[in-house]
Amino acid sequence: MSLPAILQAKEEDIQKMLSAEVHVGTTNSDFKMSEYIWKRRPDGLNIINLSKTWEKLILAARIITAIENPQDVVVISARPYGQRAVLKFSQYTGAQCIAGRFTPGTFTNQITKQFREPRLLVVTDPRIDAQAIKEASYTNIPVIAFADSDSPLRFVDCAIPGNNKGRLSIGLLYWLLAREVLRMRGTISRATWDVPVDLFFYRDPEDLEKSEEAAAPVLQQQVAPSANLTSADPTAYDPAAVAPLADGWDSAAAAGPEAGGWDSSASGW
C-alpha cells in the first residue's frame, strides 16, 4: 500500500521506533504474521518490517477518525505496560478506555453496570485481551490490535505489527497512533505535537516512590519559613508586641475596673 507523500513516515519517527525496539519480535511466529516479518536474526528473534507497521498505523488512524463520536471507541489494555498508554490515548483522543482486567460480559451482558456498546475496539495484545476480542466478535465490533510476531489474529480486523511486550514500544505506538488521529481530525497541525512521548510510557511504582522521596526535602525547604526576617518586614514576628507588662499579667488583672465600679459605668445605659 503506497501512502501519499504527506502521510509518509519521517526519519525521526523511524529512529524513535528503532530506539524503542518496535521492530523486535519474539522467537515464535504465527503464520498470519509471516507477511509482516522481514527476517530472522541469528539469535532467533523475528524482525518486523517497520514500513508495514507505519502503513497499518495510518490505516488504523483513518479507521478511528471515521468514527464520528470519539466515545464510541474503546481502548483496552490488560497488560500493565500498556495501561498508562491507553489512559493517555483516551485523554487526548476522547475515546473510552479499560485499563486493567476486562470484566466478562462488558459487551454482551446488558445487566452489568459497565455494559458498553462501542463501534470500534482497540486492544494492546490479542492474546491477553482475548476475552474482549471474543465478545466483540459476538456483537460485530471491528477490532484493531497491536500484534507481535506470535500474536493470534483470529477476529482481528486490522493488525498493527509491532512489539507489544516492551514498555517503551507500547507507549510509542500509542503515541504515534494518537498523533495521527489528531492530525487527521484537524485538531493539531502536521508541524509538531507538544505532548512528549514520555507521558505514554509505563512507570514503575517503586521508581515513583523514590522520586517522591527525593523531592520531599526540596519541598520542605521551600515551605519552611525564612529565619532571616527583619523588623522592616511588616509580616515579621515581634516578641515585644505581645510581651506582658512590666509588673506581669497578674498586676494588670488585679487592677480591676476603674474608679466608680462597674455599676457606675452601667448607669449611663
Side-chain angles (χ1 to χ4, degrees), residues 105-149:
T106 301
F107 298 152
T108 56
N109 190 356
Q110 299 181 3
I111 302 176
T112 59
K113 295 181 180 179
Q114 295 124 357
F115 177 71
R116 304 183 187 184
E117 293 180 293
R119 294 182 58 192
L120 181 65
L121 181 66
V122 182
V123 299
T124 305
D125 192 337
R127 178 169 281 108
I128 296 181
D129 302 319
Q131 179 65 29
I133 296 177
K134 182 185 292 186
E135 292 189 10
S137 67
Y138 295 158
T139 54
N140 294 328
I141 300 173
V143 177
I144 299 174
F146 293 102
D148 210 332
S149 60

Side-chain angles (χ1 to χ4, degrees), residues 3 14 17 48-56:
L3 296 174
I14 300 299
M17 295 169 75
I48 297 173
N49 192 342
L50 288 183
S51 64
K52 302 275 189 181
T53 302
W54 183 259
E55 290 178 359
K56 284 305 191 77

